[in-house]
């Protein structure tokens, strides 16, 4: 098997970031999470960050043209030559079409789109208790995955905070945006036989095991060994 190009799709809080961190360790491919990229840009007050901040704080998607270029550059970089994992991109049909165009230009294809699904109630529970580290975005949950010391990241010792967009009214708006603008991608990728559904409702370990099984199948389909 030559390369493995993957997309993680799913509602806010379904566990894409949690699983993405594990996948990155297992597969050793670069992991590009657009939310992390945008939050870093906001912290560093770059032009991208200044443009994105107000959309993110409201729970709106940033305009397609703002994010498409940032992802295109990364896919085209030498570190992504053997494969990549995208989390949070594409999030609209025009973004998916832009990804197709970029991959075609590079003579590459997507190998799979993993839909990590969870219902709105579970999402609200997860996002309501999420704590995120300010330095590197490591993710915890006050009940489901608590840090060893309250308010301190186990991994890098930095402070854990509530993300600005994890307030209840913003969570509700993010879910509306997901259903209206991102959910159409399920059909978009299913139609191309790229969609693989993973039940995100189990424990992080159960979800990781389901993803592992799905990836094993994808690798076999791509003609590689497991
Ligand atoms: P982004 O950061 O991508 O937010 P999101 O998609 O809403 O996803 P989240 O990071 O909130 O959730 P997640 O699925 O990663 O869940 P997590 O693993 O953290 O985007 C933020 C904003 O940036 C967007 O609103 C938009 O403005 C902008 N943006 C980003 N990409 C864009 C794009 N392409 N186009 C336009 N705008 C874009 O888990 C959540 C919590 O649950 C954690 O506390 C975790 O510990 C816990 N948890 C995880 N798994 C489990 C489990 N199995 N059981 C119990 N708890 C669990």
């Amino acid at each position: 098997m030559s390369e493995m190009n993957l997309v993680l799709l799913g509602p806010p809080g379904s566990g894409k970031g949690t699983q993405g961190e594990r996948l990155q360790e297992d597969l050793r491919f670069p992991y590009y999470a657009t939310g992390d990229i945008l939050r870093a840009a906001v912290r560093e007050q770059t032009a991208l960050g200044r443009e994105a901040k107000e959309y993110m704080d409201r729970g709106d998607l940033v305009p397609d043209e703002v994010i498409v270029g940032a992802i295109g550059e990364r896919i085209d970089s030498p570190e992504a030559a053997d494969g990549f994992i995208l989390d949070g991109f594409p999030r609209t049909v025009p973004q998916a079409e832009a990804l197709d165009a970029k991959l075609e230009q590079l003579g590459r294809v997507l190998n799979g789109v993993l839909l990590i699904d969870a219902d709105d109630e579970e999402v609200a529970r997860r996002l309501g208790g999420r704590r995120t580290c300010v330095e590197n975005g490591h993710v915890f949950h006050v009940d489901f995955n608590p840090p060893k010391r309250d308010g301190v990241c186990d991994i890098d010792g930095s402070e854990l905070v509530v993300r600005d967009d994890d307030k209840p009214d913003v969570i509700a708006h993010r879910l509306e945006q997901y259903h209206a603008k991102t959910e159409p991608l399920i059909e978009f990728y299913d139609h191309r036989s790229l969609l693989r559904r993973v039940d995100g409702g189990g424990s992080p370990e159960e979800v990781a095991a389901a993803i592992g099984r799905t990836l094993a199948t994808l690798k076999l389909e791509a003609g590689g060994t497991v």
Side-chain angles (χ1 to χ4, degrees), residues 10-19 31 33-36 38-39 52 55-57 59-64 67 87-92 95 122 126-127 129-131 139-142 144-145 163 165-166 174 200-205 207:
S14 62
K16 302 181 298 297
T18 300
Q19 299 301 329
Y31 165 64
T34 40
D36 292 345
L38 290 169
R39 279 185 290 280
Y55 294 96
M56 296 175 78
D57 286 350
D60 279 328
L61 298 185
V62 305
D64 291 334
I67 196 73
D87 167 358
F89 184 93
R91 223 177 256 229
T92 63
Q95 288 181 20
E122 180 65 16
R126 290 185 185 180
L127 294 182
R130 174 163 59 184
R131 299 293 179 270
V139 166
F140 297 84
H141 191 284
V142 289
F144 306 138
N145 176 26
R163 254 169 59 174
D165 59 351
D166 279 349
R174 284 164 64 199
S203 68
E205 291 69 31
V207 179

Side-chain angles (χ1 to χ4, degrees), residues 210-224:
I211 290 177
R213 289 191 293 275
T214 303
L215 284 181
T217 310
L218 274 179
K219 285 178 189 169
L220 283 175
E221 285 170 6

